[in-house]
Amino acid sequence: MHPVRKKRLLVITAIVLILGAAVTLVMYALQQNINLFYSPSQIAMGEAPRHVNIRAGGLVVDGSVKRNPETLAVVFEATDYQHTVTIEYRGILPDLFREGQGIVAQGQLNDGGVFIATEVLAKHDEKYMPPEVSEAVKNAQSSMGESKASSQSTY
Amino acid sequence: MNWTWFHKLGSPKWFFHRSKAWALPLFAVGCVGLIVGLIWGLVFAPADYQQGNSFRIIYMHVPVAMLAQSCYFALGVAGFVFLVWRMKIAPIFIKAMAPIGAVMALIALVSGAIWGKPTWGTWWVWDARLTSVLVLFFLYMGIIVLQKALDDQVLANKAVAVISVVGLINLPIIKYSVVLLETLHQGPTFTLTKKPEMPSEMWLPLLVCAICMYFLMAGLVLWRMQSEILKREYRSSWVREEVMKRGL
Amino acid sequence: MTYTSFLVSEFLLIWRRKQDVINVLLFFIIAVTLFPIGVSSSPEFLASAAGGIIWCAAVLAILMAVEGMFKEDFRDGSLEQWVVSGLSLPALILLKVVAQWLAFLLPLLGIMPLLSEMLFLPESSFWVLIMTFLLGTPSLFLIGVIGAALTVSLRQGAMLVMLLILPFYLPVIIFSTLAIQAAEANLPYSGQLALLSAMSLLSLVISPFMTAIAIKASAS
């Protein structure tokens, strides 16, 4: 082969190999939990570390929100329809915080498996609908029975 | 395939004459459409069942955020075209586009913060989506500053092209941060593969806003490019003719 | 000029200009001491922030080191010599980056035990800190030289390089400090290290070519 072409081939092969290695490393990294986000199931399985700042997310369980009338403290449960985790928080909740709403909490897990949050943020999805439509959807769902509730997509 | 249009694109003169008639109509259509879309979205579209009226900021936020990314993509492509084919029009395009992109990224950040306060409960979180858009804004600023700092035109052209291409790496991070990393930000509103997850009376005005925003921007970019072409080619005879003809 | 003679002369130049390396090191140490004095000197705060503090100071120090990398070569005409030497310009740039990386990183790592002691960095995360430096700093140098080459003809280029390059440094800082935090919490940190290596590999592919374009444009 012509020496210039041989050199060019060598360079291109090296580049492809390096890029391939980079992509493999990224793929590997994406399988790890890099940003310390845990679902209620992972917390229930004991995968989440204790006394470390982590983030947890889930849907607020209906009827689980208990507010302390004197302080701002609030206790509620978050679920991913398989397991739930109890979250304690003291502070102002976002407007969108309500039962059935997706939330992301930042805080630490204590020894009792209770998540002590320092920040609770409401997460909404890319689904938007007018109030009347959501009303209609809810009516339709309740007539179909409670069993369907779990088939609703998690946020 | 016929590539003459591509080669002709390299000539500022050809581009100037071809695009002269386009700037104003594009800008006008974009303006009118945007006003219609915004009024439609802000007044007539129904409120969201959870967020109420605060969701309406979507009609500003989503088009602007889309543009901020598309502008950068265009910058990167232009930079690549310049580095490979030395096309004269590409750096002019970059120079015209960068400030617009910067403004778009800034509006996206600000409108997102205003939207975030009532819905998430915070103005700002340091998660992947928000941070990467902030980086996008910094990249635009870097390009603008570099362009200004280098007096030598030839060097400036190359320099902005290089930095535009290198900055492309940020785009996939923005795009896929909401899908791959668990961020607070919701998923994409418009995707090519799925229908948007909202009724048509909500997404139609949004689509109108987004498309008209592109028109508006196209008009602005053409205008800026034309004046930049005149500035760079002021020595050539066709520019002199152009000026004489208008009686300036 | 051959590749070997180029590399030898690079090392010789670094040795003759030891003061540059010492300046950057001093800057690094002083920047680190700002934090205990300026923010809080409590061991708990410092222990949790040590990784971030060291990394931020190191990024600024590296930026200073990289910013002026081609200044002398531009002034004395070496850049033109490289372009016309008939050797591959990206390869020369890569060699220069490797030389500079070694020259700055080894002393930086040398004073790391001292600094981590000053900031009460937990023993367990010390080696993770070193690892993030080994895997992360190549991309800092590689990205930095693009900015340095673009602004080499400017008299006041330092500020511009900072503006251009710092945004690209953010991911490296983010994942390095995440790795150190994860190590402190006894969590796996291999994912973060993998991402750092991926970034270094990616910049290894992009940087020499982009820098070569910039140098050719600046030298002519």
Side-chain angles (χ1 to χ4, degrees):
Chain A
M1 224 189 300
H2 196 269
V4 174
R5 246 180 245 164
K6 200 171 162 188
K7 215 157 118 199
R8 201 168 283 168
L9 188 71
L10 216 71
V11 170
I12 289 174
T13 328
I15 289 175
V16 169
L17 281 179
I18 294 174
L19 282 182
V23 169
T24 322
L25 283 167
V26 170
M27 285 306 176
Y28 170 76
L30 287 175
Q31 286 164 4
Q32 316 285 311
N33 191 353
I34 303 173
N35 55 352
L36 302 180
F37 182 93
Y38 292 93
S39 68
S41 295
Q42 283 173 307
I43 292 174
M45 305 285 195
E47 283 173 33
R50 305 253 149 118
H51 304 296
V52 174
N53 268 322
I54 56 170
R55 299 193 304 151
L59 296 168
V60 180
V61 178
D62 282 337
S64 72
V65 183
K66 296 186 196 73
R67 284 168 207 266
N68 185 332
E70 273 137 49
T71 63
L72 280 168
V74 69
V75 179
F76 60 91
E77 282 175 359
T79 181
D80 57 358
Y81 292 122
Q82 271 146 35
H83 294 87
T84 61
V85 57
T86 310
I87 298 180
E88 267 182 49
Y89 177 60
R90 190 182 287 261
I92 300 163
L93 289 165
D95 289 359
L96 214 63
F97 180 88
R98 61 194 73 175
E99 288 164 2
Q101 174 69 43
I103 56 107
V104 175
Q106 170 103 41
Q108 299 191 347
L109 212 56
N110 71 7
D111 287 323
V114 177
F115 193 87
I116 312 293
T118 53
E119 194 177 25
V120 172
L121 299 170
K123 180 178 164 122
H124 69 91
D125 50 22
E126 64 273 22
K127 301 184 182 76
Y128 307 91
M129 51 177 130
E132 312 88 71
V133 177
S134 99
E135 206 57 38
V137 170
K138 244 183 226 155
N139 289 341
Q141 264 174 1
S142 57
S143 67
M144 279 198 294
E146 291 295 310
S147 60
K148 280 277 172 191
S150 59
S151 67
Q152 253 185 340
S153 64
T154 52
Y155 74 97
Chain B
M1 207 175 146
N2 189 357
W3 282 95
T4 39
W5 64 271
F6 189 73
H7 296 300
K8 274 184 180 161
L9 207 55
S11 149
K13 181 186 171 193
W14 183 85
F15 184 86
F16 183 86
H17 288 297
R18 266 308 162 90
S19 66
K20 213 166 70 177
W22 280 93
L24 187 62
L26 277 172
F27 183 74
V29 167
C31 258
V32 172
L34 192 63
I35 290 168
V36 168
L38 280 179
I39 292 175
W40 188 1
L42 295 182
V43 181
F44 297 106
D48 183 51
Y49 72 117
Q50 279 191 318
Q51 302 178 35
N53 282 325
S54 66
F55 120 96
R56 292 183 195 277
I57 204 166
I58 198 177
Y59 295 110
M60 198 70 218
H61 180 73
V62 168
V64 167
M66 281 166 83
L67 260 184
Q69 292 171 60
S70 315
C71 284
Y72 201 92
F73 181 69
L75 279 194
V77 172
F80 185 75
V81 165
F82 183 70
L83 291 183
V84 177
W85 290 286
R86 300 285 150 81
M87 194 175 271
K88 250 170 134 182
I89 205 82
I92 297 174
F93 175 77
I94 294 178
K95 190 176 181 186
M97 185 69 114
I100 298 176
V103 170
M104 292 297 163
L106 188 63
I107 300 177
L109 286 170
V110 171
S111 63
I114 295 169
W115 194 5
K117 187 62 189 164
T119 50
W120 298 340
T122 177
W123 295 101
W124 183 261
V125 272
W126 287 99
D127 77 356
R129 186 57 166 291
L130 280 72
T131 311
S132 52
V133 175
L134 185 65
V135 170
L136 185 70
F137 174 67
F138 289 154
L139 290 182
Y140 278 125
M141 293 316 280
I143 293 175
I144 297 170
V145 172
L146 185 67
Q147 175 89 57
K148 285 230 158 74
L150 295 171
D151 295 325
D152 179 14
Q153 191 71 64
V154 181
L155 179 57
N157 287 348
K158 278 238 176 87
V160 289
V162 165
I163 212 79
S164 307
V165 171
V166 176
L168 272 183
I169 206 88
N170 189 35
L171 282 183
I173 302 180
I174 300 181
K175 189 93 189 58
Y176 295 108
S177 58
V178 281
V179 188
L180 294 176
L181 303 167
E182 283 284 351
T183 67
L184 197 59
H185 199 282
Q186 66 270 32
T189 313
F190 286 127
T191 49
L192 287 176
T193 47
K194 266 195 337 232
K195 252 184 67 156
E197 297 263 16
M198 48 178 150
S200 56
E201 65 259 43
M202 280 170 134
W203 66 256
L204 260 181
L206 183 55
L207 194 65
V208 169
C209 281
I211 291 171
C212 290
M213 203 64 149
Y214 276 94
F215 280 144
L216 188 81
M217 185 214 51
L220 274 177
V221 166
L222 286 183
W223 252 331
R224 288 180 53 89
M225 283 174 81
Q226 285 157 13
S227 57
E228 183 64 26
I229 290 173
L230 288 184
K231 215 155 78 185
R232 287 191 184 191
E233 307 275 313
Y234 72 98
R235 280 204 200 88
S236 62
S237 56
W238 69 267
V239 172
R240 199 168 304 146
E241 265 167 43
E242 194 74 23
V243 173
M244 295 303 239
K245 211 162 57 192
R246 299 266 189 96
L248 292 169
Chain C
M1 193 161 76
T2 63
Y3 291 116
T4 345
S5 75
F6 176 78
L7 196 59
V8 169
S9 72
E10 273 307 314
F11 277 120
L12 212 61
L13 277 175
I14 292 168
W15 180 247
R16 295 268 159 80
R17 295 191 208 125
K18 310 185 256 308
Q19 194 59 41
D20 289 357
V21 180
I22 295 169
N23 286 352
V24 166
L25 267 185
L26 279 176
F27 173 82
F28 177 55
I29 297 170
I30 293 170
V32 165
T33 47
L34 289 182
F35 287 85
I37 294 166
V39 188
S40 159
S41 56
S42 80
E44 298 87 62
F45 163 76
L46 286 176
S48 63
I53 293 173
I54 291 178
W55 256 99
C56 288
V59 160
L60 292 177
I62 288 173
L63 209 49
M64 282 186 55
V66 167
E67 176 267 321
M69 208 161 120
F70 297 118
K71 274 271 145 70
E72 278 305 311
D73 300 320
F74 178 70
R75 228 168 278 151
D76 65 14
S78 306
L79 282 193
E80 276 115 339
Q81 292 300 315
W82 299 358
V83 175
V84 296
S85 66
L87 299 176
S88 146
L89 192 52
L92 290 180
I93 291 159
L94 203 57
L95 286 178
K96 178 153 179 119
V97 171
V98 170
Q100 296 272 338
W101 181 69
L102 284 174
F104 284 98
L105 193 77
L106 293 180
L108 222 61
L109 290 182
I111 54 168
M112 214 54 95
L114 178 72
L115 290 178
S116 62
E117 210 51 50
M118 272 164 70
L119 298 177
F120 307 101
L121 184 82
E123 208 116 315
S124 56
S125 30
F126 177 74
W127 290 109
V128 183
L129 177 74
I130 300 291
M131 251 158 28
T132 55
F133 263 84
L134 285 175
L135 295 176
T137 48
S139 72
L140 295 187
F141 273 84
L142 286 164
I143 299 167
V145 290
I146 305 178
L150 286 176
T151 56
V152 72
S153 60
L154 292 176
R155 205 159 295 159
Q156 302 284 336
M159 195 63 210
L160 197 60
V161 176
M162 299 249 175
L163 279 178
L164 279 180
I165 294 306
L166 266 182
F168 291 101
Y169 279 7
L170 291 180
V172 181
I173 304 178
I174 290 170
F175 290 113
S176 302
T177 49
L178 276 180
I180 297 166
Q181 280 163 13
E184 271 166 35
N186 284 323
L187 296 172
Y189 48 82
S190 53
Q192 287 88 336
L193 292 185
L195 274 183
L196 285 179
S197 330
M199 283 189 273
S200 285
L201 288 178
L202 198 62
S203 31
L204 179 67
V205 171
I206 298 170
S207 164
F209 299 103
M210 288 297 162
T211 314
I213 295 174
I215 282 183
K216 261 185 209 152
S218 299
S220 54

